[in-house]
Amino acid sequence: MGFLRSNGIFRLLWPHAKPHFGKLVGVFFCSFLGALLMQSTFLLLTPAWGILFPSDSAALDSRIEQVMQERSIPADRKAELVAIVQEAQTDPSAVAEGWKEKLRMRITDAIVGDPKDLTPERRKFLLWVVAGLVSVLALAAGLVSYLGILLGAKAGLGMVVSLRQALVHHLMHLSLRYHGRRKFGDLLSRMSADVSKTLSVIDILLRDLVQEPMSALIALGMAYIIAPMATLGVVLGLPLLLIPVSILLRRMRKGSTKSLNELGAATQAMTQIFSGIRTVKAYRAEDRELDRFHKVQMGYVEATMKMVRAGALSAAWTVTYTHVGMGLMVVMVGYMSIAGILTGDGGSMLTFFILISQAYKSIKKTLRSTGTVAEAQGACDRLQELVDEAPDIIEPPNAAVLTGLGKGISIQNLGFTYDGESTPALQDINLDLAPGETLALVGPSGAGKSTLVDLVARFIDPNEGRILVDGKDLREVTLDSWTDQYSMVTQAPFLFHESILENIRYGRPNATPAEVEAASEAADIHAFIQSLPQGYRTNVADAGSRLSGGQRQRITIARAVLHGAPLLLLDEATSALDTESERAVQRALDRLMEGHTSIVIAHRLSTIQNADRIAVLDHGRLVELGTHDELIRKKGLYAHLHSLQFRTEPIPQA
Ligand SMILES: Nc1ncnc2c1ncn2[C@@H]1O[C@H](COP(=O)(O)OP(=O)(O)O)[C@@H](O)[C@H]1O
Ligand SMILES: [Mg+2]
C-alpha cells in the first residue's frame, strides 16, 4: 500500500478510478479468468501426446518385458513390476505432493483411459475430444478477453475524460498569478502528450499488467505440478532478471520526465513561432527560428534517447535472459532426469517446457509493459505538478452574496507583487469609488494600471491591503456574485470561434435574440451585423478579416452591455484601434458608461477629461488624484503626460 501511495500513477488516477471501481474489478476478474483459461489449454497437451504417440507406453511395456527376460522373471509378475515403476515415477522424496501427480494421472486417465484400449478409431475420436475441449476453453477465453477489453476501455476512457476535465477545471480556476508565468505551449503539451501517455498506461495497467503476471504465475503453478524441482530452479533464477530491470525502470521514469519537459519546450517554441508569425515573416527570421527550433528538438532527442537506451537495455536483457534461461533449463532438466529427481513421460515434459516458455513470454510482456508504465509515470509526475498547484482565488464557505455595488468600492492600502518579482507592481493604493462615478486610471506604461483592474476583477488577490465592495472584502464574497457586478472590456477583443450571436450571448447565456439585438444597438454594431449575409449567425472564424478591430471590439462591448453589470472595467479598450474605429467604439463606450460605475484605463484625452476623477499611477504608486482641471493646475505628472499628448494629437472635441 505504501508503494501505491508513493506511486505517481496511483496518486494521480485514483480519484478518477473510484467511480469506475466496479468495471475495474470486472477487468481484473476477466484478466484472471482469461489467463487461467488460456494456460489450461496447455494442460491438455499431456493427454493429447499420449493419444498421438501411444508408443510411449508401449515402449515402457516392451522395456519391462525385456528386463523380465534378461532376469528371467516369470511372466505373471509383470503387473507387479509395472506398479513398482509407476510408484517410482511419482516423486518419492515428496510423498505429500503425490496428489498432484495423481491429479495429472487422473486427467490423463479420464481422457485417454487405458492406453491398451487405444484402437485407431478410439484415438481419432479422442483427438476430437481434445480439440473440442481446447475450442471450448478458447471460446471462453475469447469471450472473457472481449469483455475485459470493453470494460477496460470504458473505464480507461472514462478516467481520461475525468482527468482532463479535472485538469482543465483546476487550471481555469487558478488565478492570473499562475497563468501569467505558465508557458501556454508547455501547458498545451502537458494536456495532450502527457495525458495521452497516461491513457496508454491505463490500458496496459488494466490488462497486460494484470493478465501477464497472472499468466506467468498460473503457468509456473501448472509447471510446478508437473515438475516441482525444475520449476523451483526457474523461479530461483528470476531475481537475476528482475533486479537489473527494476534499476533500469527507475532510470526510464526519470528519463521520461526529462523527455516530456523537452517536448513541452518544443511545443512552446512552436506556439511562439506561429503566434508571432507576422514578426517572423517581417524580419525574414524563418531560418533563425528553424535553427532555434532544431536546437530545442535536439534537446528532446537527447533526453528521449536516454530513456530509450534504458528501455532498450531492459528489453535486451529480458530477451537474453529468457532465452539463455530456456537453454539452461534444458540442461537442468537433463541433469535432474539423469539423477532420477525428475520423472515423467514425453507428453508431460513437453507440457512443462511449453508452460515455462509461456511463463517467460508473460514475464517478458510484463516487463515491457512495466517499461511503458515507467514512461507514463514521468508524465503523471508532470500532471501531478499541475494538480498540486493550489488554487489561490478561493471562496470561503460562508461567502456573502453581493446584489449590487451598494456604498461603492473602497481600495485600502493595496499592495501587489508578482511571483518572482522583487519590486511590487502596486503599493499603498488608497482609492474610493462612489456608485455612478467614473474613475480614469492614467500613468506611464508599466505603472500598474492593468494590475489594479485585475485586482478589482479578482483575477488576482492582493498581497497587502484589501478591496471592499459595499463594505465587504472581495475575498469574502462569492465569486459568482462578484463577477455578476462587473463587465470587462480589454485592449485585445477576444471572440470565440462561434456565431456572433453566441459571442454576444456569452455575456448572458439565457438572453433572448431581441435582447442581443438591443445590446448590439447600444454598442453601435447592430447595423453592421445585419449587413452580413448570415447576420447574427455568421461564424466569427468564417468572417475572418471582414471583421475589423473596431467591429470586433464593438461585439465585445455588446457582450458587456448584455452582461448588464453595474460596474464597468475598461482596460485600454480603444488603444489598439485606428482613429476612426476608435471614435465609433468610444461613442459606444460613452453611452455604456452613462449610468454605470466605471474604472477606465485610457490614454485618449477625451475619455480621461470626461471622467469624474483621474487617478495617476507611477511605479505602482498613486501619485495624483483629482479632476482634470485640478490636476492640470497641479502641474505634476498628469499635466506633463497631458502636454505630451497635446503635441501629437489635435484638441479633441468635448
Ligand atoms: N504576469 C506578470 N508577471 C510579472 N510581472 C508582471 C506581470 N504583469 C505585469 N507585470 C509587471 O507589473 C508592473 C505593472 O504592470 P501593468 O499593471 O501591466 O502596468 P500598466 O497596465 O500600467 O502598463 C510592470 O512592471 C510589469 O512589468
Ligand atoms: Mg496595461
Side-chain angles (χ1 to χ4, degrees):
M1 239 5 231
F3 157 75
L4 284 181
R5 239 174 280 125
S6 67
N7 183 301
I9 296 181
F10 184 79
R11 194 152 82 96
L12 183 74
L13 292 182
W14 177 239
H16 309 287
K18 256 193 288 189
H20 303 283
F21 196 71
K23 275 179 232 129
L24 296 178
V25 170
V27 174
F28 185 83
F29 183 71
C30 286
S31 294
F32 174 75
L33 201 62
L36 193 68
L37 288 168
M38 277 188 262
Q39 301 305 328
S40 303
T41 318
F42 295 111
L43 275 191
L44 287 170
L45 269 175
T46 308
W49 189 268
I51 302 164
L52 284 169
F53 309 108
S55 51
D56 246 23
S57 39
L60 180 69
D61 234 41
S62 68
R63 256 186 60 99
I64 288 175
E65 274 170 16
Q66 198 188 334
V67 170
M68 285 166 70
Q69 257 176 21
E70 278 168 17
R71 310 206 176 166
S72 42
I73 296 168
D76 56 5
R77 290 191 59 195
K78 187 182 164 192
E80 198 183 320
L81 276 177
V82 170
I84 291 169
V85 171
Q86 273 179 352
E87 201 181 303
Q89 277 182 339
T90 58
D91 192 351
S93 63
V95 180
E97 280 161 14
W99 64 269
K100 289 168 199 151
E101 183 64 16
K102 279 194 196 120
L103 177 72
R104 188 180 65 78
M105 301 288 270
R106 218 173 299 145
I107 297 171
T108 313
D109 280 354
I111 297 172
V112 182
D114 190 344
K116 268 181 253 142
D117 296 344
L118 281 182
T119 60
E121 287 315 307
R122 189 167 157 75
R123 279 175 64 198
K124 281 182 200 154
F125 167 74
L126 286 174
L127 284 177
W128 280 111
V129 170
V130 171
L133 278 174
V134 170
S135 306
V136 169
L137 284 177
L139 206 69
L143 189 72
V144 164
S145 143
Y146 173 81
L147 276 178
I149 290 174
L150 283 199
L151 278 176
K154 242 185 163 172
L157 289 173
M159 281 162 73
V160 165
V161 167
S162 152
L163 176 64
R164 279 222 177 98
Q165 283 299 113
L167 281 173
V168 171
H169 176 275
H170 180 71
L171 290 172
M172 269 197 308
H173 284 83
L174 291 179
S175 75
L176 286 187
R177 195 192 275 267
Y178 174 83
H179 289 286
R181 75 185 135 85
R182 165 66 59 199
K183 292 185 201 137
F184 175 62
D186 176 74
L187 209 55
L188 206 65
S189 169
R190 285 183 202 229
M191 291 302 288
S192 51
D194 293 40
V195 173
S196 317
K197 263 236 151 92
T198 311
L199 163 73
S200 71
V201 85
I202 292 173
D203 208 39
I204 290 168
L205 270 177
L206 287 180
R207 289 194 289 113
D208 291 3
L209 278 192
V210 173
Q211 188 148 347
E212 294 301 335
M214 207 92 89
S215 289
L217 276 178
I218 291 170
L220 283 174
M222 289 176 175
Y224 184 82
I225 294 175
I226 294 170
M229 293 309 275
T231 309
L232 272 182
V234 171
V235 171
L236 285 179
L238 283 181
L240 224 56
L241 168 65
L242 300 181
I243 291 171
V245 169
S246 72
I247 293 169
L248 288 169
L249 285 178
R250 215 167 308 146
R251 213 188 287 173
M252 281 178 78
R253 174 179 180 165
K254 274 194 212 132
S256 163
T257 308
K258 284 207 190 104
S259 152
L260 287 166
N261 283 343
E262 295 292 333
L263 186 64
T267 316
Q268 175 64 28
M270 267 190 289
T271 33
Q272 190 167 311
I273 290 174
F274 293 113
S275 57
I277 188 74
R278 275 166 192 276
T279 313
V280 173
K281 281 184 179 296
Y283 287 90
R284 301 277 304 136
E286 289 94 340
D287 290 342
R288 260 183 287 162
E289 287 300 332
L290 256 166
D291 275 352
R292 231 171 31 167
F293 187 50
H294 190 253
K295 273 204 197 90
V296 179
Q297 295 237 75
M298 289 325 282
Y300 169 66
V301 169
E302 202 180 305
T304 309
M305 277 315 290
K306 269 191 196 146
M307 175 184 77
V308 170
R309 260 196 293 274
L313 254 162
S314 159
W317 176 234
T318 310
V319 168
T320 310
Y321 181 89
T322 50
H323 287 240
V324 170
M326 278 310 274
L328 284 178
M329 199 184 58
V330 173
V331 174
M332 182 178 71
V333 166
Y335 267 75
M336 286 180 165
S337 162
I338 290 166
I341 301 173
L342 196 81
T343 52
D345 54 65
S348 59
M349 281 331 284
L350 177 72
T351 310
F352 171 77
F353 278 116
I354 287 183
L355 283 172
I356 293 295
S357 82
Q358 282 294 315
Y360 275 144
K361 201 172 96 190
S362 291
I363 290 171
K364 232 188 297 184
K365 274 198 192 161
T366 306
L367 293 182
R368 198 168 17 167
S369 302
T370 322
T372 318
V373 170
E375 276 178 44
Q377 265 175 327
C380 284
D381 289 347
R382 278 162 46 87
L383 291 176
Q384 189 67 46
E385 220 175 82
L386 297 185
V387 173
D388 287 345
E389 190 71 39
D392 44 351
I393 300 291
I394 33 184
E395 197 179 88
N398 55 347
V401 174
L402 279 177
T403 51
L405 297 180
K407 292 176 289 188
I409 298 170
S410 174
I411 296 169
Q412 302 180 341
N413 304 318
L414 194 70
F416 182 82
T417 309
Y418 282 100
D419 288 350
E421 299 292 316
S422 50
T423 48
L426 283 177
Q427 49 187 323
D428 293 328
I429 306 290
N430 285 287
L431 256 179
D432 285 318
L433 189 64
E437 192 181 9
T438 296
L439 176 77
L441 293 181
V442 179
S445 153
K449 305 179 295 290
S450 294
T451 306
L452 184 57
V453 168
D454 283 351
L455 280 160
V456 170
R458 220 189 155 202
F459 292 164
I460 41 180
D461 273 343
N463 300 103
E464 282 160 40
R466 53 190 192 160
I467 300 173
L468 302 181
V469 176
D470 194 22
K472 297 183 192 83
D473 192 315
L474 267 192
R475 285 167 291 198
E476 275 147 28
V477 300
T478 65
L479 288 164
D480 276 346
S481 74
W482 176 231
T483 48
D484 278 349
Q485 305 312 319
Y486 68 78
S487 301
M488 195 170 197
V489 180
T490 57
Q491 183 170 3
F494 185 82
L495 299 180
F496 296 90
H497 281 192
E498 284 180 59
S499 69
I500 292 178
L501 179 74
E502 288 309 320
N503 264 291
I504 297 175
R505 210 157 31 188
Y506 205 81
R508 184 145 55 88
N510 56 3
T512 63
E515 286 170 321
V516 171
E517 282 181 25
S520 310
E521 200 85 65
D524 240 345
I525 190 74
H526 177 65
F528 167 75
I529 297 172
Q530 285 215 308
S531 75
L532 293 170
Q534 284 175 284
Y536 278 88
R537 306 255 157 234
T538 310
N539 191 299
V540 167
D542 300 336
S545 52
R546 256 186 302 163
L547 285 179
S548 73
Q551 286 154 348
R552 284 169 184 271
Q553 191 62 295
R554 274 179 288 157
I555 290 175
T556 68
I557 292 170
R559 180 194 289 165
V561 171
L562 192 63
H563 191 48
L567 176 66
L568 275 181
L569 301 175
L570 307 178
D571 188 352
E572 314 226 26
T574 60
S575 64
L577 306 175
D578 57 85
T579 322
E580 200 177 328
S581 304
E582 188 189 345
R583 289 244 167 80
V585 170
Q586 195 58 56
R587 270 198 305 275
L589 285 176
D590 286 342
R591 210 174 307 155
L592 186 57
M593 279 190 284
E594 260 170 51
H596 280 84
T597 311
S598 315
I599 298 179
V600 186
I601 302 175
H603 58 281
R604 298 293 179 191
L605 283 170
S606 54
T607 319
I608 299 166
Q609 281 176 328
N610 290 340
D612 297 311
R613 276 187 309 160
I614 299 161
V616 185
L617 293 179
D618 192 24
H619 291 105
R621 290 177 184 278
L622 178 63
V623 290
E624 290 169 19
L625 180 66
T627 63
H628 173 74
D629 294 336
E630 282 166 9
L631 293 184
I632 289 289
R633 257 179 269 129
K634 207 169 167 186
K635 292 193 165 53
L637 181 58
Y638 179 76
H640 176 64
L641 291 171
H642 183 256
S643 70
L644 282 182
Q645 207 172 23
F646 263 131
R647 270 185 236 145
T648 56
E649 198 184 77
I651 303 168
Q653 60 275 51

